[in-house]
Amino acid sequence: MGKLHGTLAKAGKVRKQTPKVEKQVRRHKIPKGRAYKRILFNRRFPNLASTKQGKEGAPEQQGGAQQKRKTPNWHAGRKELIEEERKKLALQRKQRKERDQKNKR
C-alpha cells in the first residue's frame, strides 16, 4: 500500500482552526424542494400566481383574466399550431385595441 493523505497526526486541523459561528435563530423554516420552487415561481410571476387555478377551477376567461402561461416547447415543432396561435393572438390584440378605443370615447 502507498501513503495516503499525510499522517493522522494532522487529522482535523482545518476544522479546529475555523472560528465557531453560532446558529441563526429563524422565524420559520425555509421550505425545500417543490415547495421552494413554488415560492420562487410566485416571486417571479406574481400576476400568474394570484389567479386561482386548480380543482375548484379558474374563473372563466373574462375580459381582464390572465391566461395560463404556455411552456417554451408547447408546440413541439408543429408549425400549424404556431400559426394558429399567432392568428389567435393577433385577433385578440385587435379586439383589445378596438375595445380600448371604444372605452376612450
Side-chain angles (χ1 to χ4, degrees), residues 67 82-100:
Q67 288 184 334
I82 299 170
E83 288 302 318
E84 285 177 27
E85 188 70 17
R86 280 193 186 135
K87 288 175 185 175
K88 192 168 90 174
L89 289 174
L91 182 65
Q92 286 176 352
R93 273 194 301 265
K94 186 178 176 183
Q95 289 173 346
R96 196 177 309 128
K97 193 174 181 180
E98 289 171 359
R99 192 178 339 118
D100 289 344

Side-chain angles (χ1 to χ4, degrees), residues 12-93:
K13 171 184 172 227
V14 173
R15 184 172 180 187
K16 288 175 189 169
Q17 286 179 341
T18 54
K20 177 76 173 148
V21 178
E22 293 300 319
K23 257 190 168 180
Q24 294 179 348
V25 180
R26 297 192 186 270
R27 284 186 298 162
H28 50 81
K29 67 175 191 154
I30 298 170
K32 303 282 192 276
R34 177 199 53 79
Y36 184 69
K37 295 289 185 187
R38 181 179 177 205
I39 289 173
L40 288 180
F41 178 84
N42 292 342
R43 246 187 242 153
R44 289 181 187 147
F45 307 105
N47 58 345
L48 289 178
S50 63
T51 59
K52 190 174 183 181
Q53 294 177 351
K55 284 187 178 180
E56 297 168 17
E60 297 303 320
Q61 293 299 327
Q62 300 161 359
Q66 289 285 332
Q67 288 184 334
K68 187 175 177 186
R69 202 167 235 237
K70 291 189 174 171
T71 57
N73 197 24
W74 63 270
H75 52 75
R78 293 177 290 191
K79 292 189 177 183
E80 65 275 1
L81 285 178
I82 299 170
E83 288 302 318
E84 285 177 27
E85 188 70 17
R86 280 193 186 135
K87 288 175 185 175
K88 192 168 90 174
L89 289 174
L91 182 65
Q92 286 176 352
R93 273 194 301 265

